[in-house]
Amino acid sequence: MPDFSQFPQPESNDVDSIDSAIEALRNAHDQQSAEEACDEFLWAMGNNHAGTFYPVVLAALPQIQQILSDGDPWPQRAAMESLIDLGGSFVPEKGHELYLGASVQKTLQAFIHSMRPKVALLAQGTGAVSRSAADLLELIDDQAV
C-alpha cells in the first residue's frame, strides 16, 4: 500500500483510516457489507455527506483498479459504487482542487474513464455487479460526450 500520509486527506482520518477502508472494500461479501464498505471508503476519501473528496483519492486508485480487475463480485460492486459517487456528484474539498499542479477532479475522471474496458466487461450479465457496472458505464459515457 502507498504511504497515504503524504496526501491531503480529511482531518478525521487516523493513520489506518484509508487502509481499513480499502480492506473493507476487499472484504465485502454481501449487499450490506458492500454498502458499508462504500460508505467507509467515501468517508476516508472526504466528506460523504457533503459529497467532497481530498487528493488522497488519487493514491487509492491503484487499489480500486486491483479490486475491479481481481476482486470478487461484492468488492467489485462496492468499488464501482464508490467510483460512481466520486466521479459523478462529488467534488474536491474546497482548497484541495489541485494536487501537484493538476486538477484532482480531472485526474480522477481520467482514471475512471481509463477503466471503461474492464467496466464494460463487468456490465455483461444480470447480477449486482453488472447493474453497478452499467451505472458506471453510463457515467463514463455521459462525461465523454
Side-chain angles (χ1 to χ4, degrees), residues 62-75:
Q63 282 72 34
I64 298 297
Q65 184 172 17
Q66 183 180 31
I67 291 168
L68 290 180
S69 295
D70 306 329
D72 289 329
W74 286 111

Side-chain angles (χ1 to χ4, degrees), residues 7 12 36 55 59 84 88 91 119 136 139:
F7 291 81
S12 59
E36 290 169 358
I84 289 166
V91 296
V119 174
L136 184 54
L139 173 69

Side-chain angles (χ1 to χ4, degrees), residues 35-91:
E35 289 171 3
E36 290 169 358
C38 180
D39 283 344
E40 182 178 347
F41 183 74
L42 293 174
W43 277 113
M45 296 299 107
N47 184 327
N48 191 8
H49 286 305
T52 62
F53 55 81
Y54 284 79
V56 72
V57 70
L58 302 178
L61 294 177
Q63 282 72 34
I64 298 297
Q65 184 172 17
Q66 183 180 31
I67 291 168
L68 290 180
S69 295
D70 306 329
D72 289 329
W74 286 111
Q76 288 175 327
R77 181 173 184 200
M80 285 187 287
E81 290 296 324
S82 298
L83 291 177
I84 289 166
D85 285 342
L86 291 167
S89 59
F90 280 41
V91 296

Side-chain angles (χ1 to χ4, degrees), residues 1-144:
M1 295 252 190
D3 181 1
F4 295 114
S5 69
Q6 304 302 308
F7 291 81
Q9 59 186 285
E11 288 181 18
S12 59
N13 279 1
D14 62 32
V15 69
D16 295 321
S17 293
I18 297 170
D19 289 336
S20 173
I22 291 170
E23 247 348 89
L25 290 175
R26 282 195 182 109
N27 293 327
H29 57 275
D30 59 17
Q31 183 169 342
Q32 182 176 342
S33 63
E35 289 171 3
E36 290 169 358
C38 180
D39 283 344
E40 182 178 347
F41 183 74
L42 293 174
W43 277 113
M45 296 299 107
N47 184 327
N48 191 8
H49 286 305
T52 62
F53 55 81
Y54 284 79
V56 72
V57 70
L58 302 178
L61 294 177
Q63 282 72 34
I64 298 297
Q65 184 172 17
Q66 183 180 31
I67 291 168
L68 290 180
S69 295
D70 306 329
D72 289 329
W74 286 111
Q76 288 175 327
R77 181 173 184 200
M80 285 187 287
E81 290 296 324
S82 298
L83 291 177
I84 289 166
D85 285 342
L86 291 167
S89 59
F90 280 41
V91 296
E93 183 70 34
K94 188 170 175 57
H96 294 280
E97 296 85 0
L98 299 177
Y99 183 70
L100 301 178
S103 165
V104 177
Q105 191 161 29
K106 285 188 181 359
T107 304
L108 172 62
Q109 286 178 341
F111 166 82
I112 293 171
H113 292 203
S114 76
M115 293 299 299
R116 190 188 190 290
K118 179 61 181 174
V119 174
L121 286 174
L122 293 172
Q124 298 172 1
T126 58
V129 171
S130 62
R131 286 192 302 277
S132 293
D135 290 345
L136 184 54
L137 207 52
E138 182 179 349
L139 173 69
I140 292 167
D141 291 346
D142 286 351
Q143 291 176 346

